[in-house]
Short mmCIF file of all heavy atoms in Angstrom, two decimals:
data_model
loop_
_atom_site.label_atom_id
_atom_site.label_comp_id
_atom_site.label_asym_id
_atom_site.label_seq_id
_atom_site.Cartn_x
_atom_site.Cartn_y
_atom_site.Cartn_z
N SER D 123 -9.33 -169.47 33.48
CA SER D 123 -8.25 -169.39 34.45
C SER D 123 -8.46 -168.19 35.40
O SER D 123 -8.25 -168.25 36.57
CB SER D 123 -6.91 -169.26 33.73
OG SER D 123 -5.86 -169.10 34.66
N ALA D 124 -8.91 -167.07 34.81
CA ALA D 124 -9.12 -165.87 35.60
C ALA D 124 -10.29 -166.03 36.59
O ALA D 124 -10.30 -165.47 37.66
CB ALA D 124 -9.38 -164.66 34.67
N GLN D 125 -11.32 -166.81 36.19
CA GLN D 125 -12.46 -167.03 37.05
C GLN D 125 -12.17 -167.99 38.17
O GLN D 125 -12.87 -168.06 39.12
CB GLN D 125 -13.60 -167.54 36.22
CG GLN D 125 -14.27 -166.50 35.33
CD GLN D 125 -15.47 -167.01 34.58
OE1 GLN D 125 -15.52 -168.21 34.25
NE2 GLN D 125 -16.44 -166.16 34.30
N ASP D 126 -11.07 -168.75 38.04
CA ASP D 126 -10.67 -169.68 39.11
C ASP D 126 -10.32 -168.87 40.33
O ASP D 126 -9.60 -167.86 40.26
CB ASP D 126 -9.49 -170.51 38.59
CG ASP D 126 -9.27 -171.77 39.44
OD1 ASP D 126 -9.26 -171.65 40.68
OD2 ASP D 126 -9.11 -172.83 38.81
N ARG D 127 -10.76 -169.32 41.49
CA ARG D 127 -10.50 -168.62 42.72
C ARG D 127 -9.06 -168.89 43.26
O ARG D 127 -8.66 -168.28 44.25
CB ARG D 127 -11.56 -168.96 43.76
CG ARG D 127 -12.91 -168.31 43.44
CD ARG D 127 -14.05 -168.85 44.24
NE ARG D 127 -15.26 -168.10 43.92
CZ ARG D 127 -16.49 -168.51 44.20
NH1 ARG D 127 -16.66 -169.65 44.87
NH2 ARG D 127 -17.54 -167.80 43.87
N ARG D 128 -8.36 -169.81 42.64
CA ARG D 128 -6.96 -169.98 42.95
C ARG D 128 -6.16 -168.99 42.14
O ARG D 128 -6.55 -168.63 41.04
CB ARG D 128 -6.50 -171.42 42.59
CG ARG D 128 -7.20 -172.51 43.34
CD ARG D 128 -6.88 -173.87 42.74
NE ARG D 128 -7.40 -174.01 41.37
CZ ARG D 128 -7.13 -175.01 40.58
NH1 ARG D 128 -6.32 -176.01 40.94
NH2 ARG D 128 -7.67 -175.06 39.34
N SER D 129 -4.97 -168.59 42.63
CA SER D 129 -4.09 -167.78 41.81
C SER D 129 -3.54 -168.63 40.66
O SER D 129 -3.58 -169.88 40.75
CB SER D 129 -2.96 -167.21 42.66
OG SER D 129 -2.08 -168.30 43.05
N THR D 130 -3.02 -167.96 39.65
CA THR D 130 -2.49 -168.70 38.52
C THR D 130 -1.27 -169.55 38.98
O THR D 130 -1.03 -170.64 38.47
CB THR D 130 -2.03 -167.76 37.39
OG1 THR D 130 -1.18 -166.76 37.95
CG2 THR D 130 -3.24 -167.11 36.75
N GLY D 131 -0.52 -169.03 39.96
CA GLY D 131 0.60 -169.78 40.49
C GLY D 131 0.17 -171.05 41.16
O GLY D 131 0.76 -172.10 41.00
N VAL D 132 -0.92 -171.01 41.95
CA VAL D 132 -1.42 -172.20 42.65
C VAL D 132 -2.00 -173.18 41.64
O VAL D 132 -1.85 -174.39 41.79
CB VAL D 132 -2.48 -171.79 43.72
CG1 VAL D 132 -3.13 -173.03 44.26
CG2 VAL D 132 -1.82 -171.00 44.82
N GLN D 133 -2.64 -172.66 40.59
CA GLN D 133 -3.16 -173.56 39.54
C GLN D 133 -2.01 -174.38 38.92
O GLN D 133 -2.13 -175.56 38.70
CB GLN D 133 -3.89 -172.76 38.47
CG GLN D 133 -5.18 -172.08 38.94
CD GLN D 133 -5.79 -171.24 37.84
OE1 GLN D 133 -5.94 -171.66 36.69
NE2 GLN D 133 -6.14 -169.99 38.20
N THR D 134 -0.91 -173.72 38.68
CA THR D 134 0.25 -174.35 38.10
C THR D 134 0.82 -175.33 39.12
O THR D 134 1.21 -176.46 38.76
CB THR D 134 1.31 -173.32 37.71
OG1 THR D 134 0.77 -172.39 36.72
CG2 THR D 134 2.53 -174.03 37.08
N ASP D 135 0.91 -174.92 40.37
CA ASP D 135 1.40 -175.85 41.44
C ASP D 135 0.57 -177.10 41.52
O ASP D 135 1.09 -178.20 41.68
CB ASP D 135 1.39 -175.12 42.75
CG ASP D 135 2.45 -174.04 42.89
OD1 ASP D 135 3.40 -174.06 42.05
OD2 ASP D 135 2.35 -173.22 43.78
N ASP D 136 -0.74 -176.97 41.43
CA ASP D 136 -1.64 -178.11 41.51
C ASP D 136 -1.38 -179.13 40.38
O ASP D 136 -1.37 -180.32 40.62
CB ASP D 136 -3.12 -177.65 41.49
CG ASP D 136 -3.57 -177.10 42.81
OD1 ASP D 136 -3.01 -177.50 43.86
OD2 ASP D 136 -4.54 -176.27 42.83
N GLU D 137 -1.13 -178.61 39.21
CA GLU D 137 -0.83 -179.52 38.10
C GLU D 137 0.46 -180.26 38.32
O GLU D 137 0.56 -181.47 38.10
CB GLU D 137 -0.75 -178.71 36.78
CG GLU D 137 -2.08 -178.09 36.30
CD GLU D 137 -1.92 -177.30 35.07
OE1 GLU D 137 -0.81 -177.19 34.54
OE2 GLU D 137 -2.92 -176.72 34.62
N GLY D 138 1.46 -179.56 38.85
CA GLY D 138 2.76 -180.21 39.16
C GLY D 138 2.60 -181.23 40.26
O GLY D 138 3.23 -182.28 40.22
N ILE D 139 1.81 -180.86 41.27
CA ILE D 139 1.64 -181.79 42.43
C ILE D 139 1.02 -183.09 41.96
O ILE D 139 1.45 -184.17 42.42
CB ILE D 139 0.71 -181.09 43.47
CG1 ILE D 139 1.53 -180.04 44.23
CG2 ILE D 139 0.14 -182.14 44.46
CD1 ILE D 139 0.69 -179.15 45.16
N GLU D 140 0.06 -183.07 41.10
CA GLU D 140 -0.62 -184.26 40.63
C GLU D 140 0.42 -185.20 39.95
O GLU D 140 0.45 -186.42 40.18
CB GLU D 140 -1.74 -183.91 39.67
CG GLU D 140 -2.91 -183.29 40.36
CD GLU D 140 -3.99 -182.85 39.38
OE1 GLU D 140 -3.78 -182.94 38.16
OE2 GLU D 140 -5.07 -182.41 39.87
N TRP D 141 1.24 -184.58 39.09
CA TRP D 141 2.23 -185.41 38.36
C TRP D 141 3.29 -185.96 39.34
O TRP D 141 3.61 -187.16 39.26
CB TRP D 141 2.92 -184.54 37.28
CG TRP D 141 3.87 -185.34 36.47
CD1 TRP D 141 3.59 -186.09 35.36
CD2 TRP D 141 5.28 -185.45 36.64
NE1 TRP D 141 4.73 -186.66 34.85
CE2 TRP D 141 5.78 -186.30 35.64
CE3 TRP D 141 6.18 -184.95 37.60
CZ2 TRP D 141 7.13 -186.65 35.55
CZ3 TRP D 141 7.52 -185.31 37.48
CH2 TRP D 141 7.99 -186.14 36.46
N LYS D 142 3.79 -185.13 40.21
CA LYS D 142 4.83 -185.58 41.17
C LYS D 142 4.29 -186.65 42.13
O LYS D 142 4.97 -187.61 42.47
CB LYS D 142 5.34 -184.39 41.93
CG LYS D 142 6.17 -183.39 41.07
CD LYS D 142 6.54 -182.16 41.88
CE LYS D 142 7.25 -181.14 41.02
NZ LYS D 142 7.52 -179.86 41.78
N ALA D 143 3.05 -186.50 42.57
CA ALA D 143 2.44 -187.44 43.47
C ALA D 143 2.31 -188.81 42.81
O ALA D 143 2.59 -189.87 43.41
CB ALA D 143 1.08 -186.97 43.96
N ALA D 144 1.93 -188.81 41.55
CA ALA D 144 1.85 -190.07 40.80
C ALA D 144 3.17 -190.77 40.70
O ALA D 144 3.30 -192.00 40.73
CB ALA D 144 1.21 -189.81 39.42
N GLN D 145 4.24 -189.95 40.54
CA GLN D 145 5.59 -190.52 40.40
C GLN D 145 6.14 -190.96 41.76
O GLN D 145 7.14 -191.71 41.84
CB GLN D 145 6.53 -189.47 39.81
CG GLN D 145 6.15 -188.94 38.42
CD GLN D 145 5.97 -190.02 37.43
OE1 GLN D 145 6.84 -190.84 37.26
NE2 GLN D 145 4.83 -190.05 36.74
N SER D 146 5.53 -190.53 42.84
CA SER D 146 6.03 -190.83 44.19
C SER D 146 5.60 -192.19 44.73
O SER D 146 6.06 -192.65 45.78
CB SER D 146 5.58 -189.75 45.20
OG SER D 146 4.21 -189.92 45.53
N VAL D 147 4.66 -192.87 44.01
CA VAL D 147 4.17 -194.15 44.47
C VAL D 147 5.31 -195.18 44.55
O VAL D 147 6.02 -195.36 43.56
CB VAL D 147 3.05 -194.67 43.54
CG1 VAL D 147 2.55 -196.06 44.00
CG2 VAL D 147 1.88 -193.69 43.51
N PRO D 148 5.51 -195.84 45.70
CA PRO D 148 6.55 -196.84 45.77
C PRO D 148 6.40 -197.92 44.73
O PRO D 148 5.29 -198.41 44.46
CB PRO D 148 6.36 -197.40 47.19
CG PRO D 148 5.73 -196.34 47.95
CD PRO D 148 4.82 -195.63 46.97
N GLU D 149 7.49 -198.27 44.09
CA GLU D 149 7.46 -199.20 42.94
C GLU D 149 6.82 -200.54 43.31
O GLU D 149 6.12 -201.15 42.53
CB GLU D 149 8.88 -199.43 42.46
CG GLU D 149 8.94 -200.27 41.17
CD GLU D 149 10.35 -200.36 40.59
OE1 GLU D 149 11.24 -199.65 41.14
OE2 GLU D 149 10.58 -201.18 39.69
N ARG D 150 6.99 -200.99 44.56
CA ARG D 150 6.49 -202.30 44.94
C ARG D 150 4.96 -202.31 45.03
O ARG D 150 4.37 -203.40 45.07
CB ARG D 150 7.08 -202.70 46.30
CG ARG D 150 6.76 -201.82 47.47
CD ARG D 150 7.48 -202.27 48.74
NE ARG D 150 7.20 -201.43 49.94
CZ ARG D 150 7.78 -200.29 50.18
NH1 ARG D 150 8.70 -199.79 49.31
NH2 ARG D 150 7.46 -199.60 51.29
N TYR D 151 4.33 -201.14 45.04
CA TYR D 151 2.87 -201.08 45.10
C TYR D 151 2.26 -200.61 43.79
O TYR D 151 1.01 -200.78 43.62
CB TYR D 151 2.41 -200.12 46.23
CG TYR D 151 2.97 -200.49 47.63
CD1 TYR D 151 3.54 -199.53 48.40
CD2 TYR D 151 2.79 -201.84 48.11
CE1 TYR D 151 4.03 -199.87 49.67
CE2 TYR D 151 3.25 -202.13 49.37
CZ TYR D 151 3.86 -201.17 50.15
OH TYR D 151 4.31 -201.51 51.40
N ALA D 152 3.03 -200.03 42.97
CA ALA D 152 2.48 -199.36 41.78
C ALA D 152 1.71 -200.30 40.85
O ALA D 152 0.59 -200.00 40.42
CB ALA D 152 3.61 -198.67 41.00
N ALA D 153 2.28 -201.46 40.57
CA ALA D 153 1.68 -202.38 39.60
C ALA D 153 0.30 -202.90 40.04
O ALA D 153 -0.60 -203.12 39.24
CB ALA D 153 2.59 -203.57 39.32
N ALA D 154 0.16 -203.11 41.35
CA ALA D 154 -1.10 -203.71 41.86
C ALA D 154 -2.09 -202.63 42.30
O ALA D 154 -3.17 -202.97 42.81
CB ALA D 154 -0.81 -204.60 43.06
N SER D 155 -1.78 -201.38 42.05
CA SER D 155 -2.70 -200.30 42.47
C SER D 155 -3.30 -199.55 41.30
O SER D 155 -2.69 -199.46 40.23
CB SER D 155 -1.94 -199.29 43.34
OG SER D 155 -1.39 -199.90 44.50
N HIS D 156 -4.46 -199.04 41.49
CA HIS D 156 -5.11 -198.13 40.56
C HIS D 156 -5.35 -196.84 41.31
O HIS D 156 -6.18 -196.78 42.26
CB HIS D 156 -6.42 -198.70 40.02
CG HIS D 156 -7.33 -197.67 39.40
ND1 HIS D 156 -8.58 -197.34 39.90
CD2 HIS D 156 -7.10 -196.82 38.35
CE1 HIS D 156 -9.10 -196.37 39.19
NE2 HIS D 156 -8.23 -196.07 38.23
N LEU D 157 -4.66 -195.78 40.91
CA LEU D 157 -4.66 -194.56 41.70
C LEU D 157 -4.97 -193.30 40.83
O LEU D 157 -4.56 -193.23 39.68
CB LEU D 157 -3.31 -194.36 42.38
CG LEU D 157 -2.86 -195.43 43.36
CD1 LEU D 157 -1.42 -195.28 43.70
CD2 LEU D 157 -3.73 -195.38 44.65
N ASN D 158 -5.68 -192.38 41.45
CA ASN D 158 -5.94 -191.08 40.84
C ASN D 158 -5.51 -190.00 41.83
O ASN D 158 -5.85 -190.06 43.03
CB ASN D 158 -7.41 -190.92 40.49
CG ASN D 158 -7.89 -191.91 39.51
OD1 ASN D 158 -7.42 -192.02 38.41
ND2 ASN D 158 -8.86 -192.71 39.93
N PHE D 159 -4.76 -189.02 41.35
CA PHE D 159 -4.31 -187.92 42.18
C PHE D 159 -4.93 -186.62 41.67
O PHE D 159 -4.71 -186.23 40.52
CB PHE D 159 -2.79 -187.81 42.18
CG PHE D 159 -2.11 -189.03 42.72
CD1 PHE D 159 -1.75 -190.09 41.91
CD2 PHE D 159 -1.76 -189.10 44.05
CE1 PHE D 159 -1.13 -191.22 42.37
CE2 PHE D 159 -1.11 -190.19 44.57
CZ PHE D 159 -0.82 -191.28 43.76
N THR D 160 -5.67 -185.94 42.54
CA THR D 160 -6.30 -184.71 42.16
C THR D 160 -5.94 -183.62 43.17
O THR D 160 -6.24 -183.75 44.36
CB THR D 160 -7.87 -184.84 42.12
OG1 THR D 160 -8.17 -185.97 41.33
CG2 THR D 160 -8.51 -183.58 41.58
N SER D 161 -5.28 -182.54 42.75
CA SER D 161 -4.89 -181.48 43.61
C SER D 161 -5.66 -180.25 43.36
O SER D 161 -5.83 -179.81 42.19
CB SER D 161 -3.37 -181.17 43.45
OG SER D 161 -2.95 -180.17 44.34
N PHE D 162 -6.18 -179.62 44.41
CA PHE D 162 -6.90 -178.37 44.30
C PHE D 162 -6.53 -177.50 45.45
O PHE D 162 -6.71 -177.87 46.64
CB PHE D 162 -8.45 -178.60 44.29
CG PHE D 162 -9.19 -177.37 43.84
CD1 PHE D 162 -9.59 -177.25 42.50
CD2 PHE D 162 -9.48 -176.34 44.70
CE1 PHE D 162 -10.29 -176.12 42.06
CE2 PHE D 162 -10.14 -175.21 44.30
CZ PHE D 162 -10.57 -175.10 42.98
N ASN D 163 -5.95 -176.35 45.19
CA ASN D 163 -5.45 -175.41 46.16
C ASN D 163 -4.46 -176.12 47.11
O ASN D 163 -4.45 -175.89 48.32
CB ASN D 163 -6.61 -174.82 46.98
CG ASN D 163 -6.27 -173.47 47.60
OD1 ASN D 163 -5.49 -172.70 47.06
ND2 ASN D 163 -6.90 -173.16 48.72
N GLN D 164 -3.61 -176.95 46.51
CA GLN D 164 -2.54 -177.66 47.20
C GLN D 164 -3.05 -178.67 48.21
O GLN D 164 -2.31 -179.14 49.10
CB GLN D 164 -1.58 -176.66 47.83
CG GLN D 164 -0.92 -175.78 46.81
CD GLN D 164 -0.06 -174.70 47.38
OE1 GLN D 164 -0.60 -173.80 48.13
NE2 GLN D 164 1.23 -174.72 47.19
#
């Protein structure tokens, strides 16, 4: 974590962004889609 060039706060934000983005997918498209969300430095 210390070697990461992002601050610890941004690292935490990136983890939250990935989860929230996955939850933001409109329900009408979710079932027919295969999606991956990867956040780095927001």
Side-chain angles (χ1 to χ4, degrees):
S123 177
Q125 286 183 330
D126 198 312
R127 287 168 177 165
R128 298 169 294 172
S129 68
T130 53
V132 172
Q133 292 176 49
T134 302
D135 288 344
D136 281 334
E137 293 178 2
I139 285 171
E140 292 177 352
W141 184 85
K142 292 173 185 176
Q145 302 303 309
S146 76
V147 178
E149 187 176 349
R150 63 185 180 278
Y151 301 130
S155 301
H156 161 241
L157 299 166
N158 298 302
F159 297 89
T160 308
S161 181
F162 194 96
N163 205 30
Q164 297 174 297

